[in-house]
Amino acid sequence: MRQTIILAVKNLFNKPLNLLLSLILFALGVGLISFLLLFNSQLKEKFEANLAGIDLVIGAKGSPLQLILCNMYHIDNPTGNINIKDAKPFLNPRHPLIKLAVPLSLGDNYRSFRIVGTNHDILKLYNASLDQGKLWADELEVTLGASVAEKSGLKVGDLFVSSHGFDEDPDLAHDHAKFKVVGTLKPSGTVVDQLILTRTSSIWTMHAHEAADTAEAGHVHETAMDTTHAHDNSNLDLLAHPDEQITSILVLYKSSSNYQALNMPRAINENTAMQAASPAYEINKLYSMIGTGTETIRYIALLIAFVSMISIFISLYRSMKERKYELALLRVMGSGRGNLFGLILVEGVFIALLGWLLGTVLSHVGMAVLGHYMSADFRYNFSATTLLTDEWWLLVISLLLGGVAAIIPAWSAARTDINKTLGEK
Amino acid sequence: MLKTRGVSFEYKGGSVLKFPDIEAKEKESMLLLGRSGIGKTTLLHLLGGLMQPATGTIAVDQQDLALLSGRNLDRFRGNHIGIVFQQNHFIESLNVVENITLAQTLIGLKADRNRAMHLLDHLGLKGKEYKKTHQLSQGERQRVAIARAVINKPGLILADEPTSALDDIHCEIVFRMLEDQAIQENSALVIVTHDTRLKDLVKQQIVLQ
């Protein structure tokens, strides 16, 4: 058995170009499938971790998917802002249906990390907790998500200038005021890791100043400069500023099966200038859209896998014919038919094993490269090192494919006619 | 260590070939002579256990080949019969030493590299041990084939036209080499050939008709 395996491997490496061709094709098929498995599972995992039990997102009218992507996943741009006076009922802590309402104000970034004006309730939503320093309290104080802290190199006590919008752009820097890092969060595996959290009024201050700058007029923003008011950053505090704006509210129902709760989104969409979108519904819609794409790639990958199986078959069959003297010789030297069958079979299975290995390495390297870009664009850290159960299944299937491709050549090898082959001069 | 009695072979077309009885003892050499097409290769394959005769018995090392079948016959052949073909084929992916020790590992023996090296040295192939077989000359390849045929100390060495492509000098050298190995390893040497030059070198001769 050991002898057969050694001989099979030596035979394969004796024709490196043939081996390479079969390997590349097989690795391409396996790599694509494994990459899809990785990508899908991680995307789903991240999407689900970030659902965070949120029942409803209320924001400006526009695309509901965009509203969800922007405010829950922090991928897309906001649909616009909503006035606090319009959102009043939902920010009211005594609302009969709402357990938790977390306001979000977007608009600034630091090195593409979004600065989110909100209150401490957001930590409950994502199960995030403090690592170093303290949580944001005063205006312009920020607490960093774990990935932000790691990647930006900012530490507690550092000051930084934010930039307007969602992409880093030095021309849009708000250089009149600086944010101060007062704390960092522990990694939570959710989107919070990628965010810079501050109080809502920090965002107002930043943009009020900007408005004053550009408007030329000496009009000083009333709320931002309102130092007499006690800012406790609660929803009640927000309600005290009805003319200000926020981007959205993340809503958790007291009971999501409540009849009235089920009717709330429609009521908002029909009767107010705002829209309400259900994350579960929108994300399922997104899955089915991505699904069509990945389905197509999956069929292409299966096609490549099938072609690579044929390539292994042809390559083994040809080399078996070329080596018919060798095979006859092995019989003369004492190999049984079973040994010859095993020899060719091992060659096929070995190509499959190497191909799987190469394909898996390729897909994980691909995932690492993609993850590098995705973490910036999609605010997710993709892991390239986990090996999924499905990938082990892929190994089993690969070995079976290699074996099936080798069966006909192996069978012909076992049937080698020694007398005829050796009789040919 | 070869003994045959009343061996005949029937071709697919139905024509039957009858062969004379052959007996060769250890350290003995024997020539099986005959013109082309007389069935020399067929006889060699019968003696080597690569074919089954229609009638008669073939015994190698006191073992009737007809009583062995399938895997057992393959193993027995690997152990007790060494064959040198007219065209010497090797496993291309293996080097010279590996090609020789393969004859051992294929039948489940441990590879004896020292013996393989010793044989190569004895056959004048020192320094060629780690070459691929396609890098060798025709004469060198034939000597590797001889080493491979005798590595397991077989009771019977069969050689198919080992000298017909050689000039007079090399004809004798190759024969002496085979004879020498047969004596060293206590084997019987049977050469199937139409090369009449060997007639002067080997006493025991059977002419096929």
Side-chain angles (χ1 to χ4, degrees):
Chain A
M1 185 62 194
R2 190 172 147 265
Q3 183 61 37
T4 305
I5 292 172
I6 294 172
L7 189 57
V9 171
K10 283 194 169 165
N11 281 341
L12 286 175
F13 281 99
N14 194 44
K15 292 263 159 54
L17 286 181
N18 284 355
L19 175 64
L20 197 67
L21 180 68
S22 301
L23 265 188
I24 287 175
L25 266 174
F26 203 87
L28 202 62
V30 170
L32 259 178
I33 294 172
S34 135
F35 184 80
L36 282 180
L37 290 173
L38 274 178
F39 184 77
N40 272 345
S41 95
Q42 300 215 11
L43 201 64
K44 259 195 166 135
E45 201 176 276
K46 293 294 172 184
F47 266 124
E48 265 144 38
N50 286 324
L51 272 177
I54 296 167
D55 293 305
L56 201 66
V57 179
I58 300 172
K61 281 209 188 296
S63 148
L65 181 58
Q66 187 184 346
L67 183 71
I68 301 290
L69 289 179
C70 170
N71 293 291
M72 286 182 55
Y73 299 100
H74 297 272
I75 299 169
D76 213 338
N77 289 330
T79 47
N81 283 337
I82 54 175
N83 293 316
I84 287 180
K85 60 175 177 257
D86 295 332
K88 238 180 191 168
F90 310 105
L91 290 170
N92 188 339
R94 284 192 295 276
H95 192 290
L97 299 173
I98 295 173
K99 186 163 116 194
L100 193 65
V102 181
L104 297 185
S105 294
L106 306 175
D108 272 25
N109 78 88
Y110 172 69
R111 293 220 228 143
S112 294
F113 292 111
R114 289 190 177 190
I115 300 170
V116 178
T118 183
N119 60 36
H120 295 171
D121 286 343
I122 195 171
L123 302 179
K124 280 188 228 160
L125 216 48
Y126 293 103
N127 282 325
S129 58
L130 193 66
D131 185 23
Q132 285 173 15
K134 64 182 186 92
L135 293 178
W136 66 100
D138 286 341
E139 210 153 272
L140 297 182
E141 284 187 348
V142 301
T143 302
L144 307 177
S147 298
V148 183
E150 188 197 323
K151 287 180 192 160
S152 69
L154 289 173
K155 285 181 203 61
V156 174
D158 286 352
L159 297 172
F160 66 89
V161 172
S162 70
S163 172
H164 186 61
F166 298 104
D167 297 308
E168 188 175 11
D169 185 347
D171 293 339
L172 293 175
H174 288 298
D175 47 8
H176 54 83
K178 284 184 172 162
F179 283 103
K180 184 184 183 197
V181 180
V182 296
T184 58
L185 299 176
K186 283 184 187 147
S188 66
T190 67
V191 74
V192 170
D193 294 348
Q194 308 277 351
L195 300 178
I196 299 173
L197 302 174
T198 183
R199 59 182 296 155
T200 311
S201 63
S202 301
I203 307 291
W204 295 343
T205 303
M206 277 295 159
H207 294 96
H209 194 106
E210 182 182 69
D213 279 351
T214 50
E216 270 180 275
H219 171 72
V220 176
H221 202 283
E222 163 200 354
T223 322
M225 296 296 145
D226 179 7
T227 46
T228 58
H229 186 83
H231 289 302
D232 64 355
N233 200 35
S234 66
N235 286 353
L236 283 173
D237 181 23
L238 290 185
L239 289 174
H241 304 88
D243 293 326
E244 287 291 354
Q245 292 187 320
I246 54 174
T247 308
S248 65
I249 306 169
L250 307 179
V251 174
L252 238 62
Y253 292 144
K254 279 181 176 153
S255 158
S256 50
S257 55
N258 184 298
Y259 172 71
Q260 283 175 293
L262 291 176
N263 274 329
M264 203 162 84
R266 206 175 61 200
I268 295 170
N269 289 333
E270 284 175 3
N271 303 327
T272 71
M274 304 177 294
Q275 72 161 332
S278 149
Y281 178 75
E282 297 301 328
I283 291 310
N284 275 335
K285 230 165 59 180
L286 185 67
Y287 277 160
S288 66
M289 284 193 288
I290 296 174
T292 325
T294 52
E295 190 94 330
T296 313
I297 302 175
R298 200 192 334 261
Y299 282 123
I300 295 172
L302 285 177
L303 191 71
I304 295 175
F306 182 69
V307 170
S308 72
M309 190 176 99
I310 293 178
S311 131
I312 292 178
F313 164 73
I314 292 174
S315 144
L316 285 181
Y317 198 81
R318 223 179 42 192
S319 89
M320 193 271 301
K321 285 285 171 205
E322 279 171 11
R323 288 183 289 152
K324 62 178 181 174
Y325 282 110
E326 293 193 12
L327 295 171
L329 195 71
L330 289 172
R331 290 294 312 282
V332 171
M333 289 198 288
S335 275
R337 292 185 188 278
N339 292 86
L340 298 199
F341 186 88
L343 180 71
I344 305 291
L345 197 68
V346 168
E347 289 186 21
V349 171
F350 187 78
I351 292 176
L353 178 69
L354 271 191
W356 173 83
L357 206 67
L358 193 65
T360 303
V361 168
L362 275 180
S363 79
H364 282 256
V365 167
M367 200 68 225
V369 172
L370 188 81
H372 182 73
Y373 290 105
M374 296 273 278
S375 70
D377 291 348
F378 283 73
R379 322 227 164 265
Y380 299 141
N381 289 322
F382 282 85
S383 156
T385 47
T386 42
L387 206 60
L388 306 169
T389 332
D390 282 349
E391 289 182 88
W392 291 115
W393 276 113
L394 200 57
L395 171 63
V396 174
I397 294 167
S398 296
L399 297 183
L400 280 177
L401 276 185
V404 168
I407 275 185
I408 293 176
W411 191 66
S412 314
R415 283 172 41 93
T416 301
D417 184 337
I418 317 177
N419 309 114
K420 214 172 134 193
T421 307
L422 294 174
E424 288 168 11
K425 299 281 159 79
Chain B
M1 306 270 259
L2 169 71
K3 202 171 187 176
T4 75
R5 285 283 173 274
V7 171
S8 70
F9 182 75
E10 187 176 347
Y11 286 101
K12 271 191 185 131
S15 56
V16 176
L17 264 182
K18 284 190 172 158
F19 296 104
D21 292 348
I22 302 165
E23 194 166 342
K25 297 204 167 62
E26 63 186 47
K27 302 188 190 210
E28 275 182 9
S29 300
M30 170 177 283
L31 280 191
L32 296 176
L33 290 157
R35 53 185 169 77
S36 296
I38 199 83
K40 292 197 299 291
T41 301
T42 302
L43 179 58
L44 182 103
H45 285 187
L46 286 170
L47 298 181
L50 300 170
M51 278 179 172
Q52 295 286 347
T55 62
T57 57
I58 301 167
V60 176
D61 285 352
Q62 281 90 47
Q63 169 69 51
D64 184 351
L65 296 186
L67 299 179
L68 296 170
S69 63
R71 190 74 196 95
N72 290 331
L73 179 59
D74 291 329
R75 272 185 191 279
F76 182 83
R77 178 171 54 238
N79 244 320
H80 296 269
I81 305 170
I83 309 180
V84 180
F85 291 98
Q86 185 177 9
Q87 297 273 332
N88 291 298
H89 295 285
F90 300 93
I91 307 299
E92 259 189 57
S93 59
L94 302 180
N95 65 29
V96 170
V97 179
E98 288 168 338
N99 260 290
I100 294 171
T101 55
L102 185 66
Q104 301 182 301
T105 52
L106 278 180
I107 52 170
L109 300 176
K110 217 174 160 303
D112 187 349
R113 288 179 82 86
N114 288 335
R115 175 163 160 75
M117 295 294 213
H118 175 78
L119 280 172
L120 287 171
D121 189 14
H122 193 73
L123 291 166
L125 288 168
K126 207 174 173 63
K128 310 278 183 185
E129 294 90 341
Y130 300 108
K131 289 238 188 309
K132 287 283 171 73
T133 51
H134 63 82
Q135 294 170 303
L136 302 181
S137 71
Q138 196 57 41
E140 288 168 336
R141 286 164 64 91
Q142 191 170 36
R143 278 179 274 161
V144 176
I146 293 172
R148 182 176 61 192
V150 302
I151 184 87
N152 290 335
K153 304 178 190 278
L156 173 64
I157 302 171
L158 292 171
D160 185 11
E161 304 278 13
T163 56
S164 48
L166 306 174
D167 60 37
D168 292 352
I169 296 169
H170 285 93
C171 173
E172 179 159 356
I173 290 175
V174 166
F175 169 71
R176 292 293 174 215
M177 235 183 260
L178 281 166
E179 188 186 38
D180 183 34
Q181 291 300 325
I183 291 165
Q184 293 237 346
E185 313 300 347
N186 294 323
S187 314
L189 172 64
V190 174
I191 299 174
V192 179
T193 189
H194 70 269
D195 190 344
T196 48
R197 293 173 296 181
L198 289 172
K199 280 182 175 175
D200 306 330
L201 300 169
V202 185
K203 273 186 228 138
Q204 290 200 73
Q205 299 174 3
I206 292 178
V207 180
L208 302 177
Q209 273 151 4

